[in-house]
Amino acid sequence: MTDFDDYAPQPGGLAARAAAAAQRPPYLDGLNPEQRAAVETLDGPVLVLAGAGTGKTRALTTRIAHIMALGKARAWEILAVTFTNKAAREMRERIEMLVGEGAQAMQWLGTFHAVSANILRRHAELVGLKPNFTILDTDDQIRLLKQVLQAENIDDKRWPARALAMRIDSWKNRGLSPGQVSAGEAESFANGKGAQLYALYQERLKILNAVDFGDLLLESLRLFRENADVLADYQQRFKYILVDEYQDTNTAQYLWLRLISQGRRNVCCVGDDDQSVYGWRGAEVENILRFEQDFPGAKIVRLERNYRSSGHILAAASHLIAHNEDRLGKTLFTDGEDGEKPTLTGVWDSQEEARVIGEDIEQLQRKGQSLEEVAILVRASFQMREFEERFVEIGLPYRIIGGARFYERLEIRDALAYLRCVAQPADDLAFERIVNTPKRGLGDATIQLLHAFGRRERIPLMQAARVLVETEEMKPKPRGALKNLIADFDRWRDLIDTKPQHELAEMVLDESGYTEMWRQDKTPEAAGRLENLKELVRAMEEFPDLAAFLEHISLVMDTEESKEQERVSVMTLHAAKGLEFETVYLPGWEEGLFPHQRSLDEQGRAGLEEERRLAYVGLTRAKRRARIFFASNRRIRGLWQPTVPSRFVDNLPPTHVEVVEAPSGAHYGGYAVSRFANLDVYGSDYSTPGWKRAQGARPAPARESRPSSRQPLTIEGEVVARSSSTSRWNAGARVFHMKFGPGTVATVDGNKLTVDFDKAGRKMVLESFLEAG
């Protein structure tokens, strides 16, 4: 541990202290003791654990300026790596402000990939390349993989090139060459040909004198491992090495850094283990956790003084993240005021959640809150639709950060194109968009033929297709595919007046093969696209017919955004990392959504801890206000499900969080906040509660069935939930619970029952999860 006594005020007269201050470089002014420790601890390995909002960028850039000012290294002898080009530009600009034009000589400041590309171009021949090699983007990579699959007679529909690209990228992120891929992993693609296809792809890249982004690190690793003299040159060249966002490094980046830093060992890594939230794209939180093992004698500097958030927000965030086991440990604090407590609000469903948040934002706006300083952070992108619909309805300007607005997303535009063709067969733009989506063997030649015939006869494309399929103008395969598609549209159109529009939409998407196309897609985005399609179908239930829905969509998509106008930011929690806002809304804190069930199923406790780190990131984006919401009912994967508050609610400290009612009356749907009411609504393990798995999805209770009179449940003076409905069970009744088994009702409080279970002991449960014993 670093001894901070060196940075504390020293004894002596005012003259002595003034003289010492005069000798201190001006760039050290304003740094707190911990930041100065990060700047001035120069010899040997250093890990700077920088909590959210603790000024780590300032400490990092000042450290570089300090190294140069002391003459410890010249600009070109310093290696500084970041994760984004934006971060690299910001770092260079800050250093230039401190040392002047000398920052321009820092030729080794950039992203991992940019620095690796620079190294590879200098030694390209040693890895079988020429210095002018091409770096392929994702589209070029997939096109090349399609060629490889075709050459090997592998069905691209069953084994998509995009899925293979994701596997190869994963292997490269872990530093694995084709020969290092295990037999088990190779079995996961094309009946065991995964590693073979990877090798063929790499061979093809060499022939083209090209690399993909993963190769920039993989080939650099090979260069260093196979050429000891080259590695030794870089180890001696870089007198100081600095790495930003170290918690986000993947295995290949970690191995690259370990090799290049073993020379002088003056390596400083800056990061926050509590903000490692990119495991899904290869980041390994273990890299930062084992820093002291990798670099014996390393000094640890903790930046815990937060300059962003108020005291109550920091206390809530710190208490939450303390429940993680895999962390080095630190506690954020502030010298500022405690401020407002984060609030916790329960609502009936996602529609009420959007309405309550919209009204709250309008109220803050009337009090002078700038919309530019307001953000809504969601766990899953499908949650955004409710907010977009509500904000358009009330005229509240908003922007989607890190993605398209809901109705502008690719999968939604495709789905709407299908529905437009059902409602209006003369819609050429919609028909052309989906005629070969999913692939039906209708290529450019077929489309050009339809266009030419349609223009000549002055008829829409679908009518042109209807005529041409009865002729020999096309080859049999495309003619058959087009004939089947026309028949499908005719059949769907006949159901417009008899089938509810949301059911018709689901039928169209399923029978057209569009939904299945995304089910077969193995990219990380596919699951989100399927959720969005389900959300689209759900949205249609609120309209009287298909025509009304499509008209509504046209009006929503026609809403123009003014660049000068203040707008609320809506984004996922992942996209929010690194940002800050005066007011942050955190909706959807429910089991299965946040933490996300997929993370729990695929990664177990590691997935749960990353989800908790994501919650921590969300809370620490807020400067003055953090407002958490959970709903009692939510549509997930197209089905209404009763929900319970997230276990993360259970991790919040009651003394620093205020439980409030929604303006409409806090429709908790019978659920109390578990931490505050001491309910055992889920087990201590990371998986979905057993009762939830057993029950599955159920229809949402009708909104009209809400109890009209609710009495507050008070725990230690705080209103937690409301419920006065009469239970069908009486004390002494024998009941059965899917998780806890048989038991006897002890007491009844509305729809909440205290039950003495034969094996599980006394539990407070909701009557809706009980059956007659």
Side-chain angles (χ1 to χ4, degrees), residues 171-172 175-181 198 218 222:
W171 290 329
K172 290 183 177 181
L176 300 177
S177 64
Q180 294 172 310
V181 176
Y198 180 12
L218 190 67
R222 184 159 76 91

Side-chain angles (χ1 to χ4, degrees), residues 121-179:
R121 293 200 187 277
R122 292 167 178 246
H123 310 280
E125 291 82 359
L126 295 178
V127 291
L129 295 166
K130 297 176 183 177
N132 63 340
F133 60 79
T134 301
I135 302 174
L136 301 185
D137 61 18
T138 303
D139 289 341
D140 289 335
Q141 181 187 11
I142 291 173
R143 279 168 42 209
L144 183 57
L145 284 169
K146 285 183 177 179
Q147 295 175 15
V148 172
L149 291 171
Q150 186 176 12
E152 293 298 302
N153 295 315
I154 293 175
D155 184 2
D156 182 48
K157 292 182 178 179
R158 183 178 181 186
W159 305 104
R162 188 174 294 275
L164 179 57
M166 294 300 301
R167 280 182 171 80
I168 290 176
D169 188 57
S170 173
W171 290 329
K172 290 183 177 181
N173 284 343
R174 290 156 54 199
L176 300 177
S177 64

Side-chain angles (χ1 to χ4, degrees), residues 346-358 382-390 535 538 542 587-588 590 593 629-636 640-641 643 667 700 703 706:
V347 294
W348 178 256
D349 57 21
S350 55
Q351 288 181 324
E352 183 172 10
E353 183 179 62
R355 181 180 61 75
V356 171
I357 290 177
F382 78 85
Q383 293 174 258
M384 296 181 185
R385 189 199 65 81
E386 295 280 9
F387 294 103
E388 293 189 57
E389 296 267 359
R390 180 63 185 173
E535 181 66 14
R538 195 212 70 75
E542 304 167 17
E590 301 133 27
L593 176 56
F629 289 78
F630 65 87
S632 297
N633 304 282
R634 192 176 295 275
R635 270 276 184 124
I636 299 177
W640 274 109
Q641 295 187 20
T643 60
H667 302 302
R703 295 178 66 92
R706 298 174 182 164

Side-chain angles (χ1 to χ4, degrees), residues 5-18 20:
D5 289 343
D6 294 340
Y7 306 98
Q10 300 298 313
L14 290 175
R17 277 182 278 177

Side-chain angles (χ1 to χ4, degrees), residues 417-427 489 493 496 546-547 550:
Y418 270 105
L419 298 177
R420 283 162 55 190
C421 287
V422 172
Q424 175 51 271
D427 192 331
F489 274 115
R493 197 171 297 115
I496 286 181
L546 180 58
L550 292 175

Side-chain angles (χ1 to χ4, degrees), residues 31 60 137 252 280 321 332 528 541 564 590 600 660 718:
L31 295 181
L60 184 60
D137 61 18
W280 51 276
I321 199 63
L332 298 183
E541 297 180 16
E564 294 77 23
E590 301 133 27
L600 303 184
V660 302
E718 297 189 46

